[in-house]
Structures are given as structure tokens and as C-alpha cells.
Amino acid sequence: MILDLSRMARAAAVLLIATMTTWLTGSEEETAPGAPTGLLCELLDQPELTRITDPQPEFGWIVNDSRRGAVQSAYHIIVASTRENSERGTGDLWDSGKIRRAQSIDVEYAGRPLASNASYFWKVRTWDAADNASPFSATQEFRTGELQDPVTASLLHTHDFSNRFPLVKTEVAPVRIAQKAPGHFFVDFGKAAFAAIQITLDSESAGELEVHLGEVLAPEADAIERHPGGSRRYRMMTQPMRAGTHTYVVAITPDKRNSSGAAVLMPPDAGEVMPFRYAELIGAPGALDASQIRQVTVHSAWNEEAAAFESSSQVLNDVWDLCKYSIKATSFMGVYVDGDRERISYEGDAYINQLCHYGVDREFTLARYSMKYLMENPTWPLEWQMHMPLMAWADCMYTGNTELIARYYDDLAAKTLIALARDDGLIVEDKEKMTPEFKKSIRLDRDVRILVDWPPAGFTKDRRYGERDNYDMRPVNTVANAFHYRSLVLMEEIARALGRTGDARQWSERADRVKKAFHATFFDSESGRYIDGEGSTHNALHANMLPLAFDLVPEEHTASVVEFIKSRGMACSVYGAQYLLDGLYYAGAEDYALSLMTATHDRSWAHMIYTAGSTISTEAWDTKYKENQDWNHAWGAVPANAIPRLLMGVEPIEPGYARVRIRPQIASLSHAKITTPTIRGPLHLEITQPDERAWRAKLIVPANTTAEFHAPTSDPALVSEGGNPASQAPHVRFLRVDQGRSVFELPGGSYEFVVRRG
């Protein structure tokens, strides 16, 4: 269960140092490409740690060439039955020879049939555009399980970790120990984690130790709050002690709600865990120092070096750290779950978790498994069904692999909820339409209900509070139909990616019809904003931020919708914040979006950190807004994806990062710097704007990809690169002006842009 990920971290560090050296020195000697790095088999960078069940696994690698314009022109893969054969260059299973292709991800195995339950070894080399060959990569091992067709295979049991990383146990030392009385110690591990606790004690005689674990500090000094309220955790266990020196792993008492019913269960060999930061020990013999106690955390595979962010705002830096860590901490089950209260996988939560995970690590299999799990274990909210096309398309865009969208194409089509549509294309929450056939098509045994946001008003004792902004719930609902439109648009993209051009045309026509009906039904031309549903006169934040996020707002009405959104503040939940920030950044309202991410009031991420004192993103902005909230919800970690995708503007615009958009919107920050992982290698971006006269961007685009770089000026003549006009810079090509920005096309390599202002 305890896995060694040091090799992965070292490889990432070597790659990071190499690319940063090129960035800092500007050295781009004309040499052959280096040996490929970042090898993936079935999207796993350490496939030897698990079992692969696909008889034709896909391979991928990072083209190791920092020269500007570097592209791969060919590759050569060797797959061998032994490491020795691989090292000798003997591909007794597959020797592809020189394949003249630029493809460096999702390359399907094409050798002799693989056997089940066997180990294999592979490596690859590449050629550049001038036909210079690289050395072969290091050899990577992969192991097979029971091989099966990935398209027809049923979902593996949640405790079978084939095709995804096993869980990892990491021992964390305390950051502080305070003795309160003889035998009574308070221990702070610095951060909460899903964990057990391990203690080494030397006792002269047998006895009993009280172990108190919790997430929340009590008002008194160095004490755990034993009645934290809601689903914030506290628990006390007793540990029998034997005479002599012994190490104890204290058994965590399971919580009945999250270990029964629909809850995902912890793998037996991982043991039960609970989220805690603090421990109190009562009855400990003698002294206690940091060497004697460990927080034994459980999480999925994690590369701390894969992503980094730093800016001129300390609040934003702290928010990033909170949200990045939250993705690691909440991966403790090997599938995305909502949090500790229920430990159930929900589609809306999982989509946010997926985007955040892509923002902080080059790891894709946890998201893919979660999508498979949710396809077979759907939940009741109506919009949650339509999140599945969003998850499926995100997987395709970030990995370039089409197996999941091919396998679930018909299911994804049903998840658009077209069965609930009326004649104009808009869907209706209508129980008469929720026939047994409909429910079977979405693999659910109950009716679906519109959620909008959670919780609704009245969920707390103080009925002023709710996360729907007083939404007027109507059967023909603006939020539900915004999701419906988005799911149709993405089904068109999915169909095109699969070569189903006829289907794509039909999805496009249906989406166009819904878009027209949407505007005609929900837009109030007098106020310049959207109503909550057909027949409503109320305008909630959600009814406007979702259309803005999903490109439903005509350009001529964007300003009025944005102004209304600004007037509502953060009148949505931590989940709703995903679509609020999406809409604001896509509309260019970067200043207001940044103000939300750096706010310190009680509906902010800073509030979670500085006031509540949580080290994992919380389920709600504050306990007063959701009395039963827990302190470990990944859906509260939205900035982990909003910072790389929206503020720094790095998003794939073709599957597998074949093409990437870089559209930074750092607003009033004087500088911001990010390393963001992609399947083709890390992308580095640093923006500085020391005054009103200049805006600078330094970036490294991974080799074998193409970037669209959006400079913040409508006049391309004001843009220089490397000290020359951008129009004269090598490998830089002006494309167009888009939303007041000059867009340039860049192949992989290092660049330094300056935009003159004033």
C-alpha cells in the first residue's frame, strides 16, 4: 500500500530544471532532441504500480526538445518481454521501426498479443523536423492484469485498482507538540488529512491511552474542539498499551453514515481513516517528541512538483495552496467523493474535482475511473446528469484519448436529457416524461430534480441563508436549460472526435434550436438580464452566470448581464463559484473575478483559511450557510482550476493539448507565475506588469504542441517578442484580434513578449 513515488518526483524535477535553465539563459543550441521523458502507459507514469487490463494499451511521452519550433517528425517504440531485452534494443513483443508521425500521445500498442498477468518493458526515441534522432528514453515497466476489451469491459470493483494508481500512505511528522499536563500532550500536524495515527511509546507497565483526533481548535489554548458541530470531525479512541517499547496504529472508529448505504467504502488494506489535523494524547507514559508520532495519511499518487503558482497577492497564493492541497487530501478513496459526511461520488462535485486535478498534477486515471463509476452509479440532481458530457469532453481534451467517449457515447447522449425536451427544444422537469425507459437510459431508478445550487434557503436554522439567491424554481428552468445547451454543444464535439459527422450535425442543429428558444424564453429585454424560468419575474445570479459561462449570452447583452452579476456578489455556493468565475473570465471581467478570489469576507476562500482555520477547502463558505457542512470538500477548491485555466488562461483547445490557448487575465496583479502540467509536458508562464506602460510575458510552450497566445492589445504593432516586433520574430505568426487581444500562433519553445502601453 505504501508506494515509492520518489522516482516520479525526481524525473519531474529534472525536466523542470532543464526547461527553466533554457528559460533563464535563453540557450537554444541547435542540437538533436534529448531522450523522451514523462513516459505514460495507459496514462500512468508509473504503470508498474498497478495492473493494466487493456490488451492494446496506449503509450505517450514528452518530446524532450526545448528549441523553438521543435516538433516530432517520427518515433520508434520497442516493447520487450524483459528489461534486458529492452536495454539491448530488442523489441521481441513489438519493434515499431521508424514511424513517420508527429503523434506523441495515445499511440496504441501494435505488437504481438500481450498475455494476462505479465510484466513488459518499453522505451521510445524520436526524430525532429530535420530528421535528427534522439537517444532512447529510459525503460518503463508495465504489468498486465486480466486483459479485456476496454469498450465492453464492465466497471471493476472499487477496491480493484487496475488501470489507476493504488492508494499511497505517507507518514507526516508533527509541526508542534505541547505538553499540557503529565501524560497529556497536544499535537499539531500542520494540515488536516484523511489519516490514521501512529504512536511509539515506552511504557513500564500495561495501560490505556486516550487518543483524541479532530479538525477544529477549541477556544482554549492547545485543545481540540470536542463538539465542532455539523460534520466537522472529532473522535476519541482508546489504545491499550503493553509494557515495553511498542508502535501502535490506533484503529479509527468508523462513522456509520459514511461507511454504509451508498457510501464508497475504504479498501480493507488501507484501513479506516478520518480527517484530522490535531491530536490530544491523555495517559501517555513519559515524554513525547516528534519522532514518536506520525499522521499516516492516505491519498492517491501525487507529484508535488507538477504544478506551482506564485503572484503579487499573498491572499491568492494562500488560496492556491489551500486548493491545491485539497485535491491531494480528498483523493483518499481512489475515486472522487463529495467529502467525509457521505463519501458518495456526485457528478457535479466530480467535474470540479476533475478540472482541479488537471490543474495541479499530470494524473488522469483518477478522473477517468470516477467518470466510469458515476456512469454506473448516478445520483439524483437533474443537472448532475448533464455534467457527464462535461466530464467526458474534459477527459478527451486533456488526454487526447477517445476510449471513454466511444464506450459511453449512447449513455452520454441520454445524459443530455433530450427525453425531457418539449417541441422548442427546452427541457422540462416533468414527472410524466420521467418514464421507466427514460430512467433506464440514464441508469437511475428514481426521478431527477433540478438543483440549481445547494443548499436551498431554510436548510439552516436562520432561514435567511441559502445558496440559490432566492431562485424562483420553475419546471422550465434557466439553469437546467443552460446545462442542457452546453451538453448538446459538447455532444457535437464528442461526435466529431469519434468521426460521427452525421451525429455531429444533428447535435449542432439541436443546440442551435435550444439557443434560440433559450434567449426567447428567458431573456428579459427590459432589464437586460435573464429570468429564473418560464413565467418568472425574478433574476437570480445563477440564471445569469450559467448562460454567461456557457456562451448563451449574445455579445450585445454581455455588458448588462455582467453588471447584474457584479451586483449580486458571491450569492452562490462554493460549487456555483465554478460557473461564476468561468462566466466572468470568458466575458473579460478579470478585475471583478480576481476580487472574488482574493476577498476576505465570509463568502470567500480566504475565510476558510484565516477565519475558519481549515487547511482543506470546505463544503460551504461558512457553517452558518450550511450547518451540517464538512471541512474536506473538493468542490470548494475551484481556484485550483480557475487560476491556471482562467486567471493565467491556459486551456487546451484541441484534444490532448495538440493546441493550447494562453489568454492571461491577471487584472491588477503586478506579477504572476505558473507551472501547469499538460500531457505533453509542463507549460511555464510568467506575467509582469510593473507599471502602466509595459506588460511582459515569459513562457515555455511544450514541444510538439501549438499555442495561441493572446496579448492584451488590439494593435499587434504594439507587441514585441525577443526585442523585435512580434511580426518579425521567428516562429511567431499573427492570427487575429479576438475580444480586444492580439492573437499569435506559437510552436513549442521559449518566448518573451512585451506589450507597450500608453
Side-chain angles (χ1 to χ4, degrees):
M1 177 61 67
I2 299 177
L3 302 180
D4 180 9
L5 302 184
S6 59
R7 186 191 327 165
M8 177 172 67
R10 285 196 301 269
V14 168
L15 180 63
L16 178 63
I17 291 168
T19 52
M20 290 299 290
T21 299
T22 300
W23 186 352
L24 294 172
T25 65
S27 174
E28 290 189 0
E29 297 179 6
E30 292 298 325
T31 60
T37 59
L39 271 61
L40 300 175
C41 180
E42 283 294 283
L43 298 170
L44 293 154
D45 58 10
Q46 293 187 90
E48 73 276 12
L49 299 179
T50 185
R51 295 282 190 258
I52 289 169
T53 62
D54 187 345
Q56 293 180 287
E58 287 80 32
F59 301 111
W61 55 89
I62 294 172
V63 176
N64 186 10
D65 195 339
S66 61
R67 294 170 295 172
R68 185 177 295 192
V71 293
Q72 174 188 292
S73 65
Y75 64 82
H76 178 195
I77 294 176
I78 283 176
V79 181
S81 58
T82 66
R83 186 176 293 277
E84 291 74 18
N85 280 352
S86 175
E87 300 295 349
R88 286 196 300 264
T90 302
D92 54 323
L93 271 297
W94 185 32
D95 187 330
S96 72
K98 185 177 181 179
I99 305 294
R100 292 197 173 276
R101 255 192 221 167
Q103 186 178 3
S104 58
I105 61 170
D106 204 41
V107 177
E108 189 174 82
Y109 174 76
R112 291 169 49 198
L114 301 176
S116 295
N117 303 308
S119 290
Y120 298 101
F121 304 84
W122 80 284
K123 63 182 181 180
V124 61
R125 62 173 171 165
T126 64
W127 282 261
D128 65 12
D131 211 33
N132 297 308
S134 78
F136 270 104
S137 68
T139 292
Q140 183 183 73
E141 179 184 0
F142 67 95
R143 300 176 184 178
T144 58
E146 292 296 328
L147 297 176
Q148 52 189 314
D149 181 353
V151 175
T152 59
S154 60
L155 179 71
L156 294 168
H157 191 275
T158 54
H159 296 164
D160 184 331
F161 281 82
S162 298
N163 308 309
R164 57 185 169 132
F165 283 114
L167 296 176
V168 178
K169 285 185 176 179
T170 303
E171 294 185 3
V172 177
V175 298
R176 191 171 73 87
I177 298 177
Q179 184 167 7
K180 301 187 67 176
H184 186 177
F185 296 89
F186 172 83
V187 184
D188 181 0
F189 290 98
K191 290 183 178 180
F194 283 87
I197 191 164
Q198 177 181 291
I199 309 166
T200 300
L201 298 172
D202 182 8
S203 180
E204 294 182 357
S205 59
E208 189 173 80
L209 178 73
E210 277 188 26
V211 180
H212 301 256
L213 302 177
E215 296 177 287
V216 185
L217 277 176
E220 64 183 278
D222 294 335
I224 298 172
E225 174 58 70
R226 300 187 182 187
H227 302 282
S231 297
R232 298 180 295 173
R233 295 309 190 197
Y234 161 76
R235 212 161 297 164
M236 189 276 282
M237 285 77 62
T238 56
Q239 175 63 49
M241 294 185 294
R242 305 189 301 276
T245 302
H246 300 281
T247 297
Y248 308 97
V249 177
V250 179
I252 303 294
T253 307
D255 179 88
K256 184 176 181 181
R257 180 171 184 181
N258 66 27
S259 60
S260 61
V264 182
L265 303 181
M266 286 296 296
D269 58 349
E272 187 53 70
V273 294
M274 66 170 280
F276 70 91
R277 172 178 172 176
Y278 307 106
E280 282 189 64
L281 309 181
I282 300 176
L288 184 73
D289 64 41
S291 67
Q292 295 174 253
I293 187 165
R294 291 291 183 267
Q295 182 191 49
V296 184
T297 70
V298 177
H299 55 87
S300 187
W302 183 258
N303 179 4
E304 186 64 40
E305 307 302 321
F309 173 77
E310 184 271 329
S311 77
S312 54
S313 168
Q314 188 57 52
V315 172
L316 190 63
N317 298 342
D318 291 345
V319 167
W320 163 262
D321 289 342
L322 168 80
C323 295
K324 177 183 176 181
Y325 175 71
S326 298
I327 301 307
K328 174 185 179 180
T330 58
S331 66
F332 69 105
M333 304 208 76
V335 61
Y336 296 148
V337 294
D338 62 327
D340 194 54
R341 188 182 67 259
E342 294 181 313
R343 296 189 184 180
I344 293 174
S345 193
Y346 286 100
E347 296 87 341
D349 302 60
Y351 175 63
I352 293 173
N353 207 330
Q354 172 190 32
L355 291 182
C356 292
H357 208 154
Y358 293 155
V360 298
D361 203 356
R362 186 175 176 253
E363 208 292 284
F364 312 101
T365 62
L366 183 50
R368 289 168 71 83
Y369 180 81
S370 298
M371 179 182 159
K372 294 176 188 177
Y373 181 88
L374 284 163
M375 278 295 188
E376 301 192 22
N377 298 275
T379 62
W380 61 267
L382 183 144
E383 299 98 309
W384 272 205
Q385 312 308 309
M386 296 180 287
H387 272 78
M388 296 312 295
L390 275 66
M391 284 194 76
W393 185 241
D395 172 78
C396 184
M397 289 295 280
Y398 281 82
T399 70
N401 184 279
T402 59
E403 283 181 351
L404 284 185
I405 59 174
R407 173 180 178 177
Y408 290 114
Y409 182 83
D410 291 338
D411 297 273
L412 293 168
K415 294 284 187 180
T416 66
L417 304 189
I418 52 176
L420 301 183
R422 62 186 190 184
D423 290 345
D424 63 357
L426 298 179
I427 60 171
V428 186
E429 185 187 61
D430 182 353
K431 289 191 175 184
E432 290 188 5
K433 290 180 176 288
M434 297 177 195
T435 62
E437 292 75 20
F438 163 73
K439 285 182 274 194
K440 183 179 180 181
S441 74
I442 59 172
R443 306 192 188 194
L444 196 64
D445 60 0
R446 58 189 292 190
D447 292 343
V448 292
R449 291 186 288 122
I450 294 172
L451 186 83
V452 173
D453 207 341
W454 197 260
F459 200 82
T460 60
K461 293 175 183 176
D462 189 332
R463 293 181 177 269
R464 292 176 300 170
Y465 299 136
E467 302 293 23
R468 289 176 174 167
D469 194 25
N470 296 315
Y471 202 97
D472 183 5
M473 302 293 283
R474 299 281 175 144
V476 185
N477 183 288
T478 307
V479 165
N481 276 284
F483 275 106
H484 179 56
Y485 171 74
R486 183 61 176 163
S487 70
L488 298 174
V489 169
L490 295 186
M491 283 307 300
E492 177 190 353
E493 298 287 356
I494 288 168
R496 291 193 190 285
L498 295 175
R500 304 175 71 143
T501 54
D503 284 6
R505 187 166 51 252
Q506 292 178 13
W507 289 117
S508 177
E509 291 169 355
R510 181 176 284 272
D512 287 345
R513 183 153 56 98
V514 169
K515 190 171 189 176
K516 291 175 184 175
F518 187 96
H519 193 71
T521 304
F522 303 127
F523 188 71
D524 177 7
S525 57
E526 184 174 338
S527 66
R529 61 189 71 150
Y530 290 87
I531 56 174
D532 296 350
E534 189 172 57
S536 177
T537 58
H538 185 260
N539 314 105
L541 170 65
H542 306 70
N544 289 271
M545 71 185 190
L546 266 299
L548 193 66
F550 293 156
D551 195 27
L552 277 159
V553 182
E555 186 176 350
E556 62 270 24
H557 299 304
T558 298
S560 62
V561 170
V562 168
E563 284 308 305
F564 172 71
I565 288 172
K566 289 181 178 180
S567 74
R568 301 305 304 139
M570 189 65 85
C572 60
S573 74
V574 294
Y575 151 76
Q578 178 69 63
Y579 301 105
L580 175 57
L581 292 175
D582 279 351
L584 290 170
Y585 277 107
Y586 292 152
E590 59 188 273
D591 293 284
Y592 182 63
L594 177 62
S595 76
L596 294 178
M597 283 203 287
T598 56
T600 57
H601 51 63
D602 69 356
R603 300 181 72 82
S604 70
W605 290 278
H607 180 75
M608 299 178 190
I609 304 166
Y610 306 140
T611 306
S614 183
T615 56
I616 304 175
S617 55
T618 57
E619 182 184 3
W621 297 119
D622 189 83
T623 303
K624 72 182 179 184
Y625 298 121
K626 193 173 193 296
E627 290 180 346
N628 71 339
Q629 76 149 330
D630 60 35
W631 269 18
N632 37 68
H633 247 67
W635 84 341
V638 168
N641 78 74
I643 288 172
R645 289 177 52 245
L646 304 171
L647 185 138
M648 300 303 286
V650 179
E651 281 195 287
I653 51 177
E654 288 184 10
Y657 264 98
R659 200 170 185 90
V660 55
R661 178 175 56 235
I662 304 173
R663 187 174 183 265
Q665 298 185 78
I666 70 167
S668 60
L669 298 174
S670 61
H671 76 267
K673 179 168 63 175
I674 197 165
T675 296
T676 190
T678 84
I679 194 167
R680 295 175 188 263
L683 190 151
H684 307 281
L685 175 63
E686 181 176 4
I687 308 294
T688 57
Q689 42 187 12
D691 52 47
E692 296 180 354
R693 294 172 296 174
W695 182 95
R696 299 175 184 273
K698 296 172 70 175
L699 62 153
I700 300 177
V701 179
N704 219 36
T705 191
T706 301
E708 289 190 4
F709 179 71
H710 294 235
T713 177
S714 59
D715 185 355
L718 297 178
V719 184
S720 63
E721 193 286 313
N724 300 307
S727 60
Q728 300 173 20
H731 300 282
V732 177
R733 185 167 72 94
F734 173 71
L735 293 179
R736 64 187 184 277
V737 173
D738 183 3
Q739 292 184 304
R741 292 172 177 256
S742 296
V743 183
F744 297 89
E745 183 180 77
L746 320 172
S750 302
Y751 301 87
E752 187 166 356
F753 286 90
V754 176
V755 178
R756 299 194 312 275
R757 291 173 167 174

